[in-house]
Amino acid sequence: MFDGFTLETVKLPEVSLRVRHGGSGPPLLLLHGHPRTHTTWHRVAPLLARRFTVVCPDLRGFGKSSKPADATDHEWSSKRAKARDCVDLMRHLGHSAFHLAGHDRGAYTAFRTAMDHPTKVMKLAVLDGVPILDALARCDARFAARWWHWFFFAQPDKPERAILADPDAWYGGSPEAMGGDNYRDYRAAIHDPDVVRGMLGDYRAGLYVDPMHDLDDQEAGRKLRCPVHVVWSKKDDLEELYGDLLALWQPWSKLPVTGAGIDCGHHMAEEAPEALAAELEGFFLGELE
């Protein structure tokens, strides 16, 4: 995986992050989702590295990055804390500003990074995600039936016990679909009790502290200042649940929101790497029509 990339653990002010980086050109930070690690990008990152300096970390709480003990307010698992990590990491690597793409749970960290650090994020791509406040406000029986894990994962203690009893049954995946090295890295993560606890902390923050940060922005009229591009999986359920995804994101952005669907399932970096790389490259380089 990641031929020509450097793999290292970077010590930052609050945590240490495992990160791969390589390529040349404008800096581009890629954030994975749940329950993946940075290796989910192994088919996309080399394509983007032809024109970008690509950085792929394990988010705090995930993979082989730090897993700080979380207080009852879940602040250490918040997207605001992870946004600080993103800025600190890119600064450490010599990038004062950068392009940013986040998938799934990583999309929330990407959103918070662009909101809290507007001078650092040049362009933002949101992959298979909707604003947390909108998801919670529109929660109905269909959402609860399909995304019930949001609420189960946020409960104390019980989700760890349930998942760790049989992580493979919970999360699935296969080396054929994911690629052998990526699958082995992912499987090691989901069998690690500290990683499972860290990943669940992301959901706990997502129901408690993260919505409060978003609500503060909404009430203050703060919006994203950079160009925003939304990419969604046509074989996932976001369009079915929410309809016009660009209209959903538009109130959060000062500029017109653009976007497109990709003909694949949820884990787009693994299922449709060429299409995703082309979409991201076109957006970040300003080549989309």
Side-chain angles (χ1 to χ4, degrees), residues 140-159:
D140 57 15
R142 290 186 308 159
F143 180 93
R146 297 184 187 186
W147 290 30
W148 58 271
H149 61 278
W150 271 36
F151 309 102
F152 177 63
F153 286 174
Q155 302 308 308
D157 184 46
K158 288 184 173 62

Side-chain angles (χ1 to χ4, degrees), residues 44-65:
V44 173
L47 300 176
L48 293 171
R50 297 175 299 193
R51 302 182 75 179
F52 298 91
T53 299
V54 180
V55 180
C56 306
D58 289 347
L59 293 168
R60 74 159 69 185
F62 289 74
K64 294 184 179 179
S65 289

Side-chain angles (χ1 to χ4, degrees), residues 12 14 25 30 49 56 63 70 84 96 98 101 105 109 139 183 202 213-214 218 221 239 255 284 289:
L12 302 175
E14 296 182 21
L30 301 178
C56 306
D70 221 356
R84 293 194 299 268
S96 59
F98 49 91
R105 304 301 296 185
T109 293
C139 180
Y183 176 74
D202 188 88
H213 294 159
D214 291 1
Q218 190 177 70
E239 280 187 296
L255 301 174
F284 290 126
E289 293 183 0

